[in-house]
Amino acid sequence: MKLYPLKFDAIMKDRLWGGEKLQKLFNKPSKTETTGESWELSGVKGDVSKVANGELSGTSLNQLIEDYSEKLLGESVVNRFGKEFPILIKFIDAKEDLSIQLHPNDELAKERHDSFGKTEMWYIMDADPGANLIVGFNKNLEKQEYKSSLENNTLLDLLNYEPVKEGDTFFINTGKVHAIGAGVLLAEIQQTSDITYRVFDFNRKDKDGNLRELHTDLALDAIDFSKKDDFRVVYDREKNKVNKMVDCPYFKTNIIDLDSDLNLDITARDSFSIYMCVSGSATIENEFGSSSIQKGETVLIAASSDILKITTKEAKLLEVTI
């Protein structure tokens, strides 16, 4: 079997804070009014993606890795991560504010949860007027001041609020408190992990009338209490070129803003490639086949691919590799 460009069935996640944009704008398979996430490409246990197109349709991502190993992932990726897919790809619709949260680093996550940590990045696809993100603190804190703010219900006064618009990009390293604000639609790229420490949830109740669980004690040893302006990603926006956005130990992300066709030689790339369409539409072709992709869709290209042809009149693609 030749590894043509692979698309996967979306795994939809209903969330207390979710809305209807994923269904209405991207035609995702959801019928609820509180759909918060579309997991596009996942190796998370219990939520493993399945191929949606071509001869491999119905095959799980784990089975693909079992069958094709280095051909799919790349030799260096297999050497580092074995048979675990190291990236989780999502689209997120926040109709309401998400909880204030953070993620542990690899060491803590391994010790406590036998999991990877969770470093992530966000690309803003759409934002209502006045929408913002919470990213970090607005001053350097001591642990006791933070604990007091939880007890006094004043945590929100210590947080940093960032207004956002389409195209804004944020890198969220482990330990940084953060939250997606109401009215934001974004693409998320992250380590394969579902470990989140929730520290404040606006005293909201779930559908059963219960307050959601907080992870106050677990979070204390995981939080970075310092004020750091290290989260906004500045990147070039040259047309019909591959523009670097993020290069971290867990993933590399570029943006490709196209108004004409583009040919890429990826022979030397020892990694799979993921393309998330954040605007427009395109056809992506390798030696073994092609797949159409439109806004809100994702395609996986095997590491064994040498040549990639992107055919389009207009598209913006996020390119993700290891």
Side-chain angles (χ1 to χ4, degrees):
M1 177 65 67
K2 302 297 185 182
L3 290 171
Y4 54 89
L6 298 165
K7 295 172 74 172
F8 292 81
D9 293 320
I11 300 171
M12 308 308 296
K13 296 291 184 177
D14 206 54
R15 301 298 192 216
L16 183 69
W17 40 261
E20 299 178 275
K21 288 182 180 177
L22 296 174
Q23 176 191 5
K24 291 181 176 178
L25 299 183
F26 301 160
N27 199 32
K28 295 298 182 184
S30 173
K31 296 184 175 13
T32 79
E33 297 179 354
T34 52
T35 301
E37 302 181 8
S38 174
W39 289 23
E40 298 289 298
L41 192 49
S42 166
V44 175
K45 186 176 181 180
D47 285 299
V48 178
S49 296
K50 292 185 178 180
V51 178
N53 66 323
E55 295 179 59
L56 289 166
S57 183
T59 306
S60 74
L61 179 59
N62 286 354
Q63 189 62 52
L64 289 175
I65 294 171
E66 189 71 37
D67 293 344
Y68 299 101
S69 193
E70 285 95 346
K71 288 185 178 180
L72 179 70
L73 299 181
E75 184 177 352
S76 64
V77 177
V78 171
N79 288 342
R80 184 176 172 192
F81 297 101
K83 295 181 179 179
E84 290 193 62
F85 195 72
I87 297 293
L88 175 57
I89 298 292
K90 302 177 182 177
F91 293 112
I92 297 178
D93 170 27
K95 184 178 181 180
E96 298 181 12
D97 295 326
L98 272 68
S99 60
I100 314 300
Q101 57 189 248
L102 65 139
H103 310 296
N105 61 26
D106 285 345
E107 291 73 25
L108 267 180
K110 180 66 176 176
E111 176 187 333
R112 293 175 172 177
H113 314 286
D114 193 26
S115 171
F116 293 119
K118 188 175 174 183
T119 298
E120 60 192 355
M121 69 157 279
W122 297 330
Y123 176 88
I124 308 301
M125 297 177 67
D126 186 62
D128 294 346
N132 58 50
L133 305 176
I134 289 172
V135 191
F137 295 108
N138 57 29
K139 66 175 184 175
N140 292 321
L141 290 181
E142 298 294 335
K143 184 181 290 188
Q144 186 55 50
E145 185 178 5
Y146 166 78
K147 291 173 67 175
S148 296
S149 76
L150 293 181
E151 294 167 4
N152 301 328
N153 206 28
T154 58
L155 175 64
L156 297 180
D157 297 335
L158 301 176
L159 300 174
N160 174 56
Y161 296 82
E162 292 286 324
V164 293
K165 62 183 183 307
E166 187 273 330
D168 287 349
T169 301
F170 293 80
F171 181 73
I172 310 296
N173 43 30
T174 55
K176 190 182 294 298
V177 294
H178 61 274
I180 302 171
V184 175
L185 178 68
L186 59 76
E188 180 176 272
I189 298 150
Q190 60 156 94
Q191 290 176 267
T192 290
S193 172
D194 205 25
I195 305 299
T196 295
Y197 294 161
R198 188 184 301 123
V199 298
F200 184 70
D201 195 37
F202 306 95
N203 302 312
R204 289 181 296 200
K205 296 182 179 180
D206 63 20
K207 63 179 188 288
D208 298 318
N210 301 312
L211 293 171
R212 293 203 295 172
E213 181 184 7
L214 299 179
H215 309 98
T216 307
D217 292 337
L218 284 173
L220 281 175
D221 293 331
I223 294 178
D224 181 352
F225 290 105
S226 58
K227 178 184 185 299
K228 293 178 180 175
D229 298 324
D230 59 353
F231 42 80
R232 275 196 181 262
V233 177
V234 178
Y235 60 94
D236 293 332
R237 304 186 186 217
E238 191 174 351
K239 283 278 190 179
N240 304 312
K241 300 285 186 180
V242 178
N243 297 289
K244 175 182 170 182
M245 300 180 89
V246 169
D247 186 347
C248 75
Y250 307 106
F251 53 82
K252 300 175 175 65
T253 305
N254 304 311
I255 191 164
I256 310 173
D257 187 356
L258 299 170
D259 59 17
S260 64
D261 300 346
L262 181 67
N263 293 314
L264 296 174
D265 183 349
I266 57 173
T267 307
R269 184 178 294 173
D270 188 21
S271 166
F272 60 86
S273 305
I274 300 167
Y275 292 89
M276 303 180 76
C277 187
V278 295
S279 179
S281 62
T283 298
I284 299 181
E285 180 180 357
N286 68 0
E287 305 94 310
F288 313 121
S290 65
S291 177
S292 62
I293 186 172
Q294 60 186 5
K295 185 176 182 179
E297 291 187 330
T298 304
V299 68
L300 174 66
I301 304 296
S304 57
S305 302
D306 293 328
I307 296 171
L308 213 58
K309 180 178 181 180
I310 304 173
T311 305
T312 185
K313 292 182 178 179
E314 185 280 317
K316 286 183 185 176
L317 305 174
L318 299 181
E319 178 188 67
V320 185
T321 63
I322 295 293

